[in-house]
Amino acid sequence: MNRKVIFLLLLNVVVGVLIVVSSHSWFTVWVGLELNTLSILCLLCYDFSPRNVESTVKYFLVQAFSAGIILNVALIQLRLYSSWSISNPLSYFGSVMLTLAISLKLGLFPCHFWFPDVIQGVGFLQGLLLSTWQKVAPFVILINVHSSINSFILISLGSVSVLIGGWGGLNQVQMRKIMAFSSISHIGWVCSVLSVSISTSCVMFIIYIILSSAMFLVNNEVNLYNLSILGRLVYYNPWVSILLILVVLSLGGLPPLTGFLSKFLALSCLLNSNLIFFSIILIFGSLLNLFFYLRIGFNSVLCLFPQHSMMLFTWRSVLVFGGKSSWSSMLLGILLSSSIFGLLSFPMFVSFI
């Protein structure tokens, strides 16, 4: 694909999200979502392999169905208030349907089934787009209508999503599926806190984007497609393996890393609102997540497996943090530094609350 075409598609993806963020009308929200979806479909099937095409078709069907639900909710609002304004309160039926549509776009329970399959069928960079940037627009819509959505339903869906994300990633050996279930779990944390504190939820979402981006870029740099390759990583580049385990432990929420800050702020808000039961569910789900995060760290640097010299041959063509610098290596360095030094970045994130 021509570079100019790729740049135009990426620009449309960004513009579509910006239209949703700056919109005060349901119709322009729908237009922004459709522009974003149609532009990213070409990026998902960039390699045009059968697996890429399958994932692209699945993503298109899910996004088209959720966008259709949002348009129907907008038409209901137009019938009730004779206005396209988002500020109008939602009816009970409209709030339930909109929650379903946003759950489909974010990958929340019970609409999470499509997300791991789609992430597994695309590359790491496309998975990075789906896991981070593509969740900005639904998250902004959820913020705009949070006062009209039942908070109990939202917290319940978020808590169950954390359990599903932890339980689903236990037996996975593919890194992309592990990252997909990790995304489901982290988005569950974000949505659980949204009904209690919008500012804390936004901070958690920013931290999630930083950590997930760092993990996807590390995997893309060294082609970590499954856990069996992790045993060879320490022989090839020990520094990358150390950085990988730090990012993984940060995703798991181990203090004093950055991932611990989001969970600490979330639990503080939930306990201050006397939501003790949901806090226990979220902690239990995080322990499940921490299990497969520790398994990644154990396989990458904490245990040295016996390796034959011929097994390292495929790593000779891989350059990680070597000679020449690129935009990906510079971005990766920034993300790694912000995801590791949690205590240093704590005042910056707390200032947003």
Side-chain angles (χ1 to χ4, degrees):
M1 188 182 296
N2 192 284
R3 291 185 178 181
K4 295 181 180 179
V5 177
I6 296 177
F7 176 77
L8 181 61
L9 292 173
L10 287 173
L11 182 62
N12 287 333
V13 169
V14 175
V15 169
V17 174
L18 293 179
I19 290 175
V20 176
V21 172
S22 60
S23 177
H24 298 282
S25 171
W26 282 112
F27 181 75
T28 52
V29 166
W30 177 77
V31 170
L33 291 174
E34 290 300 309
L35 177 63
N36 177 269
T37 301
L38 293 176
S39 300
I40 202 172
L41 290 176
C42 301
L43 297 175
L44 292 182
C45 58
Y46 176 78
D47 296 331
F48 208 73
S49 62
R51 191 67 178 90
N52 282 130
V53 175
E54 178 187 353
S55 298
T56 304
V57 171
K58 289 180 180 179
Y59 183 76
F60 169 72
L61 293 176
V62 170
Q63 298 301 311
F65 181 67
S66 59
I69 295 176
I70 292 176
L71 184 59
N72 286 327
V73 172
L75 293 175
I76 293 174
Q77 292 295 104
L78 179 64
R79 179 75 175 94
L80 292 176
Y81 299 99
S82 300
S83 173
W84 292 97
S85 178
I86 300 180
S87 59
N88 294 326
L90 294 171
S91 61
Y92 179 77
F93 178 77
S95 64
V96 173
M97 296 304 295
L98 187 63
T99 304
L100 175 64
I102 298 300
S103 299
L104 270 172
K105 286 188 172 294
L106 290 176
L108 277 179
F109 176 86
C111 308
H112 64 283
F113 50 87
W114 64 273
F115 193 68
D117 289 335
V118 171
I119 294 295
Q120 178 63 26
V122 298
F124 283 115
L125 295 180
Q126 291 92 335
L128 172 62
L129 275 177
L130 294 180
S131 300
T132 56
W133 183 253
Q134 289 301 104
K135 296 182 183 296
V136 174
F139 181 67
V140 171
I141 297 175
L142 200 60
I143 290 176
N144 291 331
V145 300
H146 79 282
S147 59
S148 300
I149 294 180
N150 192 329
S151 59
F152 179 79
I153 295 177
L154 190 60
I155 296 177
S156 300
L157 294 181
S159 302
V160 179
S161 297
V162 175
L163 291 176
I164 293 295
W167 190 266
L170 289 179
N171 294 325
Q172 300 296 330
V173 296
Q174 299 292 328
M175 287 297 297
R176 284 172 291 185
K177 277 199 172 182
I178 290 176
M179 291 304 300
F181 283 108
S182 174
S183 176
I184 293 172
S185 177
H186 281 83
I187 291 298
W189 273 91
V190 172
C191 293
S192 298
V193 185
L194 180 63
S195 58
V196 179
S197 174
I198 297 178
S199 57
T200 304
S201 181
C202 293
V203 170
M204 293 183 64
F205 189 70
I206 294 173
I207 294 176
Y208 157 73
I209 290 178
I210 293 174
L211 297 178
S212 183
S213 301
M215 192 64 184
F216 271 105
L217 288 176
V218 168
N219 292 333
N220 182 66
E221 287 287 333
V222 295
N223 297 324
L224 291 177
Y225 290 102
N226 51 64
L227 293 179
S228 62
I229 304 178
L230 288 173
R232 286 181 271 171
L233 180 59
V234 68
Y235 293 97
Y236 174 74
N237 197 326
W239 293 106
V240 176
S241 60
I242 293 174
L243 290 175
L244 177 64
I245 189 175
L246 288 175
V247 175
V248 166
L249 293 178
S250 183
L251 275 170
L254 191 71
L257 301 175
T258 308
F260 170 73
L261 302 180
S262 60
K263 294 180 174 58
F264 177 79
L265 295 174
L267 289 176
S268 177
C269 292
L270 292 173
L271 292 176
N272 289 334
S273 301
N274 293 324
L275 297 173
I276 300 176
F277 176 73
F278 291 107
S279 300
I280 295 174
I281 294 178
L282 292 173
I283 292 173
F284 181 73
S286 294
L287 291 177
L288 294 176
N289 280 270
L290 188 60
F291 176 81
F292 59 80
Y293 290 140
L294 288 176
R295 185 175 60 175
I296 295 175
F298 182 81
N299 291 336
S300 61
V301 71
L302 297 180
C303 183
L304 301 180
F305 297 96
Q307 301 288 341
H308 193 271
S309 60
M310 293 300 295
M311 297 181 66
L312 302 176
F313 181 77
T314 57
W315 292 79
R316 293 181 182 179
S317 60
V318 182
L319 292 176
V320 184
F321 309 117
K324 61 179 183 178
S325 61
S326 62
W327 67 269
S328 59
S329 60
M330 289 186 291
L331 179 61
L332 183 57
I334 296 172
L335 293 175
L336 285 173
S337 61
S338 59
S339 60
I340 291 173
F341 300 108
L343 290 180
L344 297 179
S345 58
F346 183 77
M348 180 186 67
F349 289 116
V350 172
S351 63
F352 290 104
I353 302 177

